[in-house]
């Protein structure tokens, strides 16, 4: 596709392979695009991972800081390099004011949609995700200082922003036998999505993002259809992918109530440098 030889490529073979590895995706019944994406990330990471060992520098103190280790093995791959970010959770005991800090890696952020809203913005969803929460009653957390469970305030932020940011809008709700899809029209930015308010450290050049793809879902939970909008890195034009049909689409039509997964990059995509092997 990068050379212009093909307008589109049908992923029939990769779908067959995925179905053979995970029977859930082998049938023609509707599956969740987010679950498929996570499965692909995990399998690709396992096949491409490289183990790197970080050693403690000579002459450094033997005492370790809280939450850090002096030497450890970490599996990395092109998947972790491009898509992995890190969330920081700061918890505060509301009885003794003891604070703890923990980190958690992510590849996809699943954002709640404001309940009862007919329209909202992506920033509204981000604010709801990152707002401070208070855990009480059955949700209390064990305080290491008090030695018992206490009411706890939790503040979430991003300690490491990924190169490619994937935002999943939580449109599907399942409560017992009840299923429903939230059809809230979520407006989102095509350029200059600013994550700096949600970073735990000072903003860097990697706090602003540009939209380059959208996964859309139309229909209901059990009878729906997926399409995708993708931006061509060379022509900077948007295209609509509907099964084997590929067509141009103007940028003002990218916004839609069917938007389900948003893909942002911290830098504009460029034409890959293709190196031909010597004959």
């Amino acid at each position: 596709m990068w050379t212009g030889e093909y307008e589109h490529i049908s992923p029939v073979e990769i779908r067959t392979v995925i179905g053979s590895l995970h029977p859930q995706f082998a049938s023609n019944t509707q599956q969740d695009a987010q679950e498929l994406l996570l499965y692909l990330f995990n399998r690709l990471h396992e096949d491409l991972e490289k183990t790197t060992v970080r050693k403690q520098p000579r002459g450094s103190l033997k005492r370790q800081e809280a939450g850090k280790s002096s030497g450890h093995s970490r599996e990395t791959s092109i998947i972790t390099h491009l898509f992995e970010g890190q969330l920081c959770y700061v918890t505060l005991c509301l009885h003794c004011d003891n604070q703890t800090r923990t980190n958690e890696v992510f590849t996809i952020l699943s954002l709640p949609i404001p309940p009862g809203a007919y329209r909202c913005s992506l920033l509204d969803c981000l604010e709801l995700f990152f707002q401070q929460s208070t855990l009480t009653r059955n949700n209390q957390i064990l305080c290491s200082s008090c030695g018992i469970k206490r009411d706890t305030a939790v503040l979430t932020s991003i300690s490491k922003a990924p190169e490619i940011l994937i935002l999943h809008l939580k449109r599907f709700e399942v409560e017992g036998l009840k299923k429903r899809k939230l059809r809230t029209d979520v407006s989102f930015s095509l350029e200059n999505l600013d994550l700096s308010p949600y970073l735990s450290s000072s903003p860097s050049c990697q706090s602003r993002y540009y939209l380059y793809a959208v996964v859309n879902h139309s229909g209901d939970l059990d009878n729906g259809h997926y399409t995708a909008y993708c931006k061509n890195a060379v022509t900077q034009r948007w295209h609509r992918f509907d099964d084997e049909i590929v067509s141009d689409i103007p940028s003002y039509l990218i916004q839609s109530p069917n938007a389900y997964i948003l893909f942002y990059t911290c830098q504009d995509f460029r034409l890959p440098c293709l190196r031909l092997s010597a004959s």
Side-chain angles (χ1 to χ4, degrees), residues 30-228:
Q30 179 172 273
Q31 303 296 332
D32 190 353
Q34 185 228 5
E35 292 181 4
L36 174 62
L37 187 58
L38 284 172
Y39 177 76
L40 281 174
F41 279 167
N42 289 334
R43 291 307 301 250
L44 287 171
H45 170 67
E46 290 172 2
D47 288 343
L48 300 172
E49 67 183 1
K50 297 179 181 179
T51 301
T52 58
V53 179
R54 298 179 182 176
K55 298 182 179 180
Q56 183 176 352
R58 293 183 180 179
S60 60
L61 296 176
K62 293 183 179 180
R63 183 178 178 181
Q64 299 175 10
E65 296 181 32
K68 297 182 180 180
S69 59
S70 57
H72 63 277
S73 296
R74 174 174 172 80
E75 292 76 24
T76 62
S77 70
I78 187 64
I79 300 299
T80 59
H81 175 71
L82 292 177
F83 300 98
E84 189 177 277
Q86 186 170 265
L87 291 175
C88 175
Y89 299 99
V90 176
T91 58
L92 173 68
C93 175
L94 297 181
H95 180 78
C96 70
D97 291 337
N98 179 54
Q99 275 193 22
T100 59
R101 183 186 298 265
T102 57
N103 294 316
E104 180 183 71
V105 297
F106 71 90
T107 51
I108 300 176
L109 282 184
S110 292
L111 303 181
I113 296 176
Y118 177 70
R119 290 181 179 175
C120 71
S121 69
L122 182 60
L123 294 181
D124 294 329
C125 299
L126 286 166
E127 287 289 341
L128 193 57
F129 180 88
F130 287 104
Q131 72 178 2
Q132 179 176 308
S133 59
T134 303
L135 304 180
T136 61
R137 297 183 180 181
N138 294 334
N139 295 319
Q140 288 181 329
I141 292 180
L142 178 65
C143 174
S144 58
S145 179
C146 296
I148 60 174
K149 291 184 176 181
R150 295 288 193 183
D151 289 353
T152 306
V154 181
L155 181 63
T156 306
S157 60
I158 298 176
S159 53
K160 175 182 176 294
E163 289 197 20
I164 296 179
L165 175 69
I166 304 178
L167 301 177
H168 161 237
L169 301 176
K170 299 172 69 173
R171 292 195 177 275
F172 302 136
E173 289 186 349
V174 179
E175 294 182 4
L177 299 177
K178 294 183 180 179
K179 302 178 181 179
R180 71 173 183 141
K181 176 183 176 182
L182 301 179
R183 303 183 184 276
T184 307
D185 189 358
V186 181
S187 63
F188 47 88
S189 173
L190 273 65
E191 295 182 349
N192 289 322
L193 173 65
D194 186 10
L195 286 188
S196 58
Y198 315 109
L199 299 179
S200 56
S201 57
S202 58
S204 64
C205 59
Q206 198 166 299
S207 64
R208 293 185 178 273
Y209 287 80
Y210 304 87
L211 186 75
Y212 75 90
V214 181
V215 172
N216 303 291
H217 180 273
S218 57
D220 300 316
L221 275 74
D222 299 320
N223 185 21
H225 182 66
Y226 284 107
T227 58

